[in-house]
Amino acid sequence: MDRPLVSIITPMYKVEQVLPSCLDCMLSQTYSPLEVIFVDDCSPDRSSSLVEEYAHRLEERGHLIKLVKHQLNQGVASARNTGLEQATGEYIYYFDADDYLEPNGIELMVARAESSDADIVGCNWQLSYEGTKRKMFQPKVLSGVGAFTKMCEGVLKWNLWLFLVRRSLYEQGEMLRFTPQENMGEDMMIMGKLFLRAERVEMIDEHLYHYTKTNSGSLTANYTDAHWAQVDANLRSLSRCVDRCGTESQKKEIEYLKLNLKLPLLISPCRADYQRWADWFPEANTYIMQNRTLPLRTRLVQLAAKHKLWGLVWLYYHLIMRFLYSLLYK
């Protein structure tokens, strides 16, 4: 029996330095056939040329290669949409050019999807940051409803590169697409909606994806007002979807998600971040103590913020996040 085609979508913008390892990663995949779609978002370097140089080697492995070029830089959300429009595979997988996927990654995810009739298959991953490596784990889930709950509770990560998704989920009913220009939090919005559409979701208990974190400082150090506005827009899009067709339980869970997205603003020494926390989705603060999947200390620091006890929030950041974590993850 012929194996299903898998479409791998990789947006490209200023990735010339890391693209060779990305292309080697595609070459090393044990699964075939792959439809490898590179979307050049008007990158000012040799990214497209490198893809063209590798194309014949990928084709020799039985893969289909598509290189699509934007005439103007549109951002990663539009690049993902372009890739999705070009995709013809039964399954969709998004891959970031600066990361690494184990050679049997696609093979294992497709095998699980086919054997369990899953709409979405996820995996664990390894985080590399400032010379350290940590193994990160996803919780076990069996349904889209369960995955959505775990995502909102803050124990399941929604990064696109963690999931192989049946393409029909994007196309059924109203087509799911990323919102152009809303380039932060776009994966949260899409994966939340995909989970709500999925019947069966499976997790592979292996660390198949290797993610390299490059920015340092506080969790919000590299966020601008525009970034927060994009996260806000994507969260509101998901929230409207839940309001329209979700259950009462899911409407409560989306409030947990709002709190989790606000939380990095408290992992900061900056009073401006604290004020943004206070102003953003204040209606969610009612639910602070109800999400019992979060550690008590996390709920307590949010409770302190709700009551504007900013000195306690500042102390938490310096004692727990900077001092204790620096010892644990040295």
Side-chain angles (χ1 to χ4, degrees):
M1 184 174 70
D2 292 339
R3 302 208 293 182
L5 180 67
V6 176
S7 297
I8 298 181
I9 300 170
T10 299
M12 298 192 304
Y13 187 73
K14 295 183 178 180
V15 295
E16 179 183 355
Q17 298 303 313
V18 297
L19 195 56
S21 62
C22 166
L23 290 159
D24 286 338
C25 184
M26 295 299 100
L27 280 169
S28 73
Q29 289 301 304
T30 59
Y31 188 86
S32 180
L34 299 175
E35 179 181 56
V36 188
I37 305 170
F38 293 94
V39 182
D40 184 347
D41 191 29
C42 205
S43 188
D45 57 16
R46 294 186 63 254
S47 294
S48 284
S49 297
L50 287 173
V51 171
E52 291 168 349
E53 291 170 10
Y54 267 78
H56 72 282
R57 296 170 60 187
L58 288 161
E59 290 167 351
E60 286 175 352
R61 296 292 304 275
H63 304 320
L64 305 175
I65 311 303
K66 292 182 179 180
L67 173 61
V68 187
K69 299 181 181 180
H70 285 172
Q71 295 304 306
L72 296 172
N73 177 255
Q74 301 176 45
V76 70
S78 291
R80 297 194 194 285
N81 282 339
T82 297
L84 197 53
E85 294 295 339
Q86 291 288 324
T88 62
E90 186 171 340
Y91 297 99
I92 299 292
Y93 182 73
Y94 284 98
F95 182 75
D96 287 351
D98 54 350
D99 296 331
Y100 175 75
L101 179 68
E102 289 291 331
N104 63 346
I106 298 297
E107 182 97 44
L108 291 176
M109 286 191 279
V110 173
R112 179 66 67 87
E114 294 289 284
S115 65
S116 64
D117 197 29
D119 294 310
I120 300 174
V121 176
C123 64
N124 297 330
W125 81 105
Q126 180 174 276
L127 168 65
S128 297
Y129 179 54
E130 294 187 342
T132 65
K133 293 183 179 181
R134 293 177 58 194
K135 290 188 173 182
M136 312 297 285
F137 294 85
Q138 293 280 63
K140 182 178 180 180
V141 293
L142 294 175
S143 67
V145 169
F148 180 81
T149 297
K150 294 297 184 184
M151 169 183 155
C152 291
E153 289 176 341
V155 294
L156 184 147
K157 297 300 182 185
W158 55 69
N159 306 76
L160 288 167
W161 34 260
L162 286 170
F163 301 98
L164 181 83
V165 178
R166 199 177 295 276
R167 184 164 66 94
S168 59
L169 284 190
Y170 286 95
E171 310 301 333
Q172 67 186 39
E174 181 183 354
M175 288 194 303
L176 281 187
R177 293 296 184 266
F178 300 88
T179 306
Q181 305 304 318
E182 309 298 359
N183 301 310
M184 297 292 290
E186 85 289 0
D187 45 359
M188 170 268 297
M189 182 271 288
I190 282 290
M191 286 310 307
K193 292 181 179 181
L194 288 169
F195 287 142
L196 290 173
R197 290 186 173 193
E199 291 187 15
R200 188 168 185 86
V201 176
E202 289 273 331
M203 291 292 175
I204 296 175
D205 190 20
E206 294 192 39
H207 295 80
L208 301 179
Y209 199 89
H210 299 257
Y211 170 70
T212 302
K213 178 178 171 63
T214 55
N215 60 301
S216 58
S218 73
L219 297 178
T220 60
N222 298 296
Y223 272 42
T224 65
D225 288 345
H227 290 147
W228 285 113
Q230 291 166 22
V231 174
D232 180 90
N234 279 308
L235 179 53
R236 290 184 188 277
S237 176
L238 178 56
S239 184
R240 286 193 297 271
C241 176
V242 173
D243 286 341
R244 187 170 60 250
C245 60
T247 64
E248 289 304 312
S249 177
Q250 289 163 350
K251 291 175 184 178
K252 179 178 179 179
E253 290 161 359
I254 204 75
E255 301 301 322
Y256 294 170
L257 180 59
K258 292 175 183 177
L259 287 169
N260 284 323
L261 285 172
K262 286 169 51 160
L263 183 59
L265 291 163
L266 301 181
I267 316 304
S268 165
C270 180
R271 285 302 181 98
D273 285 343
Y274 299 165
Q275 188 58 52
R276 188 185 295 276
W277 185 96
D279 294 339
W280 199 24
F281 295 116
E283 71 277 7
N285 297 346
T286 303
Y287 298 86
I288 283 173
M289 297 305 292
Q290 296 185 35
N291 182 8
R292 297 185 180 277
T293 59
L294 291 183
L296 179 60
R297 59 177 173 78
T298 301
R299 287 178 281 150
L300 288 176
V301 75
Q302 292 180 78
L303 192 62
K306 177 183 177 181
H307 294 288
K308 300 189 185 317
L309 300 174
W310 303 123
L312 291 178
V313 176
W314 184 90
L315 192 63
Y316 174 84
Y317 169 75
H318 283 277
L319 288 182
I320 303 298
M321 302 309 298
R322 294 201 64 186
F323 177 69
L324 184 58
Y325 275 25
S326 67
L327 294 178
L328 289 175
Y329 300 117
K330 219 175 230 188

